[in-house]
Amino acid sequence: MHAIASFAGHRHTDTTLRYIHLSGRDLAEKLKSGMDHIHAWRVRMLAAADRHNDAAGGVRS
């Protein structure tokens, strides 16, 4: 259990126990959901930066 927790980057095995019961399919779905969330956030941040640069008269490449 400690090796799995360490590999996963968890400080406590309690955290690992929350996820250990999940199947590979469940884990893949959770990972995809998390990555989709991160991608959507990045798109919003990049769009906001573009709007800021346009408003400030910035040069775009």
Side-chain angles (χ1 to χ4, degrees):
M1 178 62 68
H2 291 287
I4 294 170
S6 177
F7 179 77
H10 300 154
R11 289 186 196 166
H12 306 285
T13 55
D14 292 350
T15 305
T16 307
L17 288 172
R18 289 185 203 158
Y19 299 100
I20 200 83
H21 68 281
L22 299 174
S23 72
R25 181 176 296 149
D26 291 334
L27 289 172
E29 288 173 8
K30 287 191 181 295
L31 177 62
K32 182 184 180 319
S33 173
M35 294 306 292
D36 289 346
H37 178 75
I38 291 168
H39 176 71
W41 175 82
R42 290 187 69 199
V43 167
R44 287 192 308 271
M45 293 298 108
L46 289 170
D50 281 348
R51 285 193 302 274
H52 177 74
N53 285 338
D54 288 345
V59 177
R60 299 174 86 181
S61 53

